[in-house]
Amino acid sequence: GQQVMQIPQYQHVQEGEDFTTYCNSSTTLSNIQWYKQRPGGHPVFLIQLVKSGEVKKQKRLTFQFGEAKKNSSLHITATQTTDVGTYFCAGPGSNYQLIWGAGTKLIIKP
Amino acid sequence: DGGITQSPKYLFRKEGQNVTLSCEQNLNHDAMYWYRQDPGQGLRLIYYSQIVNDFQKGDIAEGYSVSREKKESFPLTVTSAQKNPTAFYLCASRPGGGGSYNEQFFGPGTRLTVL
């Protein structure tokens, strides 16, 4: 069945370093969504990408959707403690479900 | 304020007991979802509903049941048949009915511990 793979599972960074998480789909996606879940919290929608090759920025966060619409990435520049959490990508499945990646946990080293 | 409420935040039950988790939304969203999240894991879909009085099984529906009698409410019952029910349960809703891939809005979740 349709799968969305997300890597890495964890990323440890020093505050101020950059962070990137990658998503790959087994099928072409009509769109891809990104969510953030703070520790102990619930997922919160960040953005949706729709167009092939689309790049969107939200302050220090840059989201990309691949030309083939099968992969996507989220890059955070100069991480801050407020960025800590797990970042999920999700693509549309059958019957208007979302197929979720396993998430990448961003950990800031003390 | 519009939003999704889940209650309670923490729930403890003895093994063998059924338990019902509440999910209410006042966003006027058509679609609602229940997910299960285990520690350090992603979200797994239990059940979803596109419209009142209709719902479908997700990937891990065994041992769970739902109802959708009102647009605002989508309660989840964790039955004694669910072999490992201890988990974080998240309810979500989505606007736009059955014809779009809008973002999902999540409630704060219920942490269920079965002793």
Side-chain angles (χ1 to χ4, degrees):
Chain A
Q2 185 181 358
Q3 289 188 333
V4 173
M5 309 298 291
Q6 189 174 356
I7 57 169
Q9 188 176 4
Y10 301 93
Q11 191 167 1
H12 294 76
V13 300
Q14 298 278 4
E15 189 174 2
E17 292 182 337
D18 293 356
F19 162 85
T20 305
T21 173
Y22 301 91
C23 269
N24 286 288
S25 170
S26 57
T27 59
T28 301
L29 301 171
S30 59
N31 67 80
I32 193 160
Q33 298 180 7
W34 285 91
Y35 292 77
K36 176 184 178 180
Q37 184 177 24
R38 293 182 185 274
H42 57 276
V44 174
F45 175 80
L46 294 176
I47 206 161
Q48 178 171 284
L49 305 174
V50 179
K51 298 177 184 175
S52 169
E54 189 169 15
V55 178
K56 286 189 175 181
K57 293 192 175 185
Q58 292 179 349
K59 297 183 182 179
R60 295 176 294 102
L61 277 62
T62 301
F63 302 85
Q64 292 188 311
F65 200 11
E67 294 289 342
K69 300 182 77 172
K70 294 181 74 173
N71 57 73
S72 182
S73 65
L74 158 59
H75 180 83
I76 302 177
T77 304
T79 55
Q80 299 175 359
T81 55
T82 54
D83 296 323
V84 162
T86 301
Y87 294 84
F88 292 97
C89 61
S94 60
N95 295 325
Y96 304 100
Q97 302 173 47
L98 282 177
I99 308 298
W100 293 80
T104 296
K105 189 171 185 178
L106 169 58
I107 300 162
I108 305 278
K109 296 179 199 174
Chain B
D1 278 340
I4 303 176
T5 56
Q6 290 185 245
S7 60
K9 189 171 182 178
Y10 298 94
L11 188 56
F12 296 87
R13 278 294 182 269
K14 290 184 179 179
E15 195 172 338
Q17 291 181 334
N18 291 357
V19 60
T20 297
L21 310 184
S22 165
C23 178
E24 303 280 330
Q25 55 100 357
N26 60 5
L27 300 168
N28 200 33
H29 288 174
D30 289 304
M32 297 187 74
Y33 304 81
W34 273 107
Y35 293 96
R36 170 181 172 138
Q37 188 175 36
D38 293 286
Q41 304 296 313
L43 281 71
R44 293 188 289 169
L45 183 64
I46 305 173
Y47 268 98
Y48 63 104
S49 168
Q50 305 276 24
I51 199 168
V52 174
N53 292 322
D54 187 48
F55 48 83
Q56 287 81 40
K57 292 181 179 180
D59 299 321
I60 57 165
E62 186 175 347
Y64 300 97
S65 65
V66 293
S67 63
R68 187 86 188 276
E69 297 176 2
K70 298 187 298 182
K71 189 175 186 177
E72 305 79 24
S73 179
F74 191 39
L76 173 75
T77 298
V78 185
T79 75
S80 55
Q82 169 49 234
K83 301 230 183 288
N84 187 16
T86 294
F88 186 39
Y89 290 88
L90 287 157
C91 178
S93 70
R94 176 180 60 78
S100 61
Y101 287 106
N102 307 87
E103 67 191 83
Q104 292 188 9
F105 293 77
F106 284 81
T110 293
R111 294 192 183 275
L112 173 65
T113 301
V114 175
L115 306 170

